[in-house]
Amino acid sequence: MHIKKLKVRPRKEHAKAVCGVQLASMLGCWAASGDTHSVGPCQESAKALYECMRTAPLGGKQHGSTINYHLMRLGKILNK
Amino acid sequence: MFSSARHAALRTLPAARRRLATTAGAAGSSATEGEIYSVIDSIAGFNAASSLSSPPSAARHPASTQPAVINIPPAEDPLLHYLTSCLQSYGHRQKAARITARTLLHIHTLTRAPPLPILRKAIENIAPAVRCISNKHAGKTVVYPIALSEKQRTRIAIEWILKACDSRAGKDVEERLAKELVAIVEAMGKPGVKLDEVSAAYKKKEEVHKYAMMNRGNALRSA
């Protein structure tokens, strides 16, 4: 089988959200206790989220997928 | 005008002794007042100022007992500077600065307590922790909550407070703002008080947090 141009349409990987764990735990605490102002039971989980947002590094730009470059490069060998 | 006590004390010392190590000192005493100060102060270039202030190693005398890196505290409280910026319009900085100063005075008049901690506490109480973003994905609108940074939280809190204070009685902005801030701080923690009725700012925060809670299933998705 001869494929003239070896190329794929790669799926874009979404950037991971920073502090996702702390956010999810705080929202879960709100749902469980109804303490949306984070003054009662959810105070600690809210504080953990604030600390995380203050210290966590910003998510950098994701590099695009290079699969097509490699396929182009190696396709020449495969098609011989 | 808004110099911290530390800065005022530094000014009274002779020039040679003015550059004290303030890494733990001023930063620490101000940081205990609230998390927002320490972060806004780093965003405002506090760390940049400290790195600029460190003298090159060649210029430092070997017998010097001063530390190599000296933190110079900012001239003005960063939160007050930011509040003044939010109040400012058409470049009239002096007018906005006057409003801020008088607001602090009114807070003190109403409570007989130091006004700056009350301002910080009010902003901390109102600041939302999350923001909801809606995205169209596969034909459906997906709403998901994301966490906010310190500066974003402060900005939103100040915006909501300034909007809400117009419903208070008082001839000037400073009176109304002071009444709003005091009401916000007094209401939190009181049993049997409906926060939505105390301030429109609390109501907005509740709405945002409830919406985020409803959509917490999407919290770990992004973009």
Side-chain angles (χ1 to χ4, degrees):
Chain A
M1 188 179 74
H2 176 79
I3 306 171
K4 196 174 174 191
K5 189 175 182 184
L6 202 56
K7 189 183 171 181
V8 297
R9 283 173 166 186
R11 277 208 164 174
K12 254 193 183 174
E13 258 192 57
H14 281 304
K16 242 194 167 183
V18 287
C19 303
V21 173
Q22 286 87 352
L23 177 63
S25 75
M26 188 183 72
L27 292 168
C29 179
W30 284 355
S33 62
D35 176 30
T36 38
H37 288 285
S38 306
V39 279
C42 299
Q43 198 173 26
E44 283 186 25
S45 48
K47 275 194 180 151
L49 177 65
Y50 301 154
E51 274 299 322
C52 173
M53 281 308 288
R54 201 198 308 183
T55 54
L58 293 167
K61 262 192 183 172
Q62 294 266 311
H63 283 295
S65 177
T66 57
I67 181 79
N68 284 327
Y69 165 72
H70 295 294
L71 285 173
M72 175 206 64
R73 197 168 51 84
L74 300 169
K76 293 171 189 170
I77 305 166
L78 293 168
N79 281 338
K80 269 182 187 165
Chain B
M1 203 177 188
F2 306 111
S3 333
S4 61
R6 180 97 190 161
H7 186 66
L10 280 173
R11 265 196 257 122
T12 59
L13 294 171
R17 282 196 58 208
R18 236 177 252 177
R19 292 167 82 223
L20 299 169
T22 57
T23 335
S29 64
S30 315
T32 48
E33 293 196 284
E35 54 195 28
I36 295 174
Y37 181 87
S38 59
V39 175
I40 286 186
D41 132 12
S42 65
I43 290 168
F46 183 79
N47 291 332
S50 66
S51 62
L52 285 170
S53 68
S54 67
S57 51
R60 203 169 146 248
H61 197 276
S64 161
T65 50
Q66 298 291 328
V69 174
I70 297 169
N71 280 330
I72 298 173
E76 193 183 334
D77 187 295
L79 185 59
L80 290 175
H81 187 273
Y82 192 68
L83 178 63
T84 312
S85 304
C86 292
L87 286 163
Q88 181 183 357
S89 63
Y90 297 103
H92 295 143
R93 185 78 189 184
Q94 301 291 332
K95 189 174 179 183
R98 240 191 349 260
I99 293 173
T100 315
R102 284 181 186 162
T103 306
L104 293 175
L105 178 65
H106 281 297
I107 294 173
H108 178 68
T109 313
L110 290 166
T111 58
R112 288 195 178 188
L116 199 50
I118 293 176
L119 172 66
R120 276 195 218 294
K121 190 77 188 127
I123 289 175
E124 275 177 36
N125 286 350
I126 295 290
V130 291
R131 173 168 72 103
C132 288
I133 295 181
S134 73
N135 248 355
K136 266 192 181 167
H137 178 75
K140 291 172 263 184
T141 310
V142 174
V143 178
Y144 57 96
I146 55 152
L148 292 171
S149 72
E150 288 282 354
K151 190 160 189 200
Q152 287 169 321
R153 294 178 54 226
T154 331
R155 177 181 55 80
I156 292 173
I158 290 177
E159 217 175 88
W160 287 350
I161 291 170
L162 289 174
K163 255 194 196 162
C165 79
D166 284 333
S167 61
R168 298 265 162 193
K171 187 189 167 204
D172 298 313
V173 166
E174 45 254 32
E175 281 177 42
R176 297 195 296 270
L177 185 54
K179 282 179 185 170
E180 182 73 20
L181 293 166
V182 167
I184 286 167
V185 172
E186 278 180 349
M188 185 61 93
K190 253 190 189 170
V193 165
K194 275 194 179 168
L195 291 172
D196 298 355
E197 287 162 14
V198 170
S199 169
Y202 271 131
K203 196 174 174 189
K204 274 193 193 146
K205 186 191 178 190
E206 273 278 351
E207 279 171 17
V208 167
H209 281 196
K210 274 195 180 137
Y211 197 42
M213 196 168 72
M214 274 167 22
N215 294 301
R216 69 186 184 279
N218 301 329
L220 293 169
R221 112 183 245 105
S222 61

